Amino acid sequence: MLEDALPLVDFDSDFLFSELDSLGVTTILMMLSDEFHIKLEATDATPKNLKTLDSIVALVEKKLAEQ
């Protein structure tokens, strides 16, 4: 899903956050919010949360558990 929306981003990167610009970060937050019905805010857009695909999955799982 994310690869389709951001085809120029290397989601296999060891430091995914460095691959993203502000539009990419916003796109990811919006898509995940819509897909999983979770509330993601600008404060969630940290290098730690967006470092790798695994860290993005962990963020989504954390938000789902908080509901």
Side-chain angles (χ1 to χ4, degrees), residues 3-56:
E3 288 176 336
D4 290 340
L6 301 166
L8 299 178
V9 174
D10 178 11
F11 283 94
D12 294 323
S13 173
D14 289 335
F15 196 65
L16 177 60
F17 189 79
S18 66
E19 300 265 334
L20 300 170
D21 59 10
S22 59
L23 183 57
V25 170
T26 302
T27 299
I28 289 173
L29 294 179
M30 288 176 49
M31 290 184 72
L32 294 174
S33 292
D34 290 344
E35 181 72 21
F36 296 101
H37 308 289
I38 55 177
K39 185 174 182 179
L40 292 171
E41 300 181 19
T43 56
D44 294 314
T46 64
K48 179 182 175 186
N49 287 339
L50 301 174
K51 182 177 180 184
T52 63
L53 203 49
D54 288 339
S55 61
I56 293 173

